[in-house]
Amino acid sequence: MTDQFPVFEVVLKKRRRTTWRWCVCTTNGDVVMHGSETSQPAARYKADRALFLLLLSAPYQSIRLSRLRSPE
C-alpha cells in the first residue's frame, strides 16, 4: 500500500545562532521542499504549511475527487 501513497517527514535543523533550516523529505531522504527562517516556530509553521500544500496537490487527490463527482 505504501507504493501508492508516499510518506513524507518534516525536518528542522538549527544553523548558526539565528537560522533554522527546514525541509520536507521522503522517507528515502530525498528533499522535496526546503527553506530557512529566523525562529524555530516560524520554521515549524513553514515546514508544516509546505507539507500541507504538498499533500493537497497530490495526484491521488484528483482521482478521489473525480470518483466523488461521477454519477455512477
Side-chain angles (χ1 to χ4, degrees):
M1 190 79 165
T2 57
D3 294 336
Q4 292 178 339
F5 301 107
V7 179
F8 300 99
E9 60 185 334
V10 172
V11 178
L12 293 177
K13 293 182 182 178
K14 187 170 185 176
R15 301 285 185 187
R16 300 189 199 112
R17 295 176 88 182
T18 60
T19 304
W20 284 85
R21 297 207 179 219
W22 60 267
C23 66
V24 178
C25 305
T26 64
T27 52
N28 296 335
D30 300 326
V31 176
V32 180
M33 297 180 177
H34 63 90
S36 63
E37 297 297 324
T38 56
S39 70
Q40 191 267 343
R44 168 65 64 188
Y45 174 80
K46 290 285 182 103
D48 290 341
R49 184 175 184 270
L51 178 61
F52 176 76
L53 292 173
L54 178 68
L55 295 175
L56 189 63
S57 66
Y60 65 84
Q61 187 76 4
S62 61
I63 294 169
R64 184 178 62 86
L65 290 175
S66 66
R67 287 183 185 161
L68 290 174
R69 292 180 186 153
S70 65
E72 298 176 66

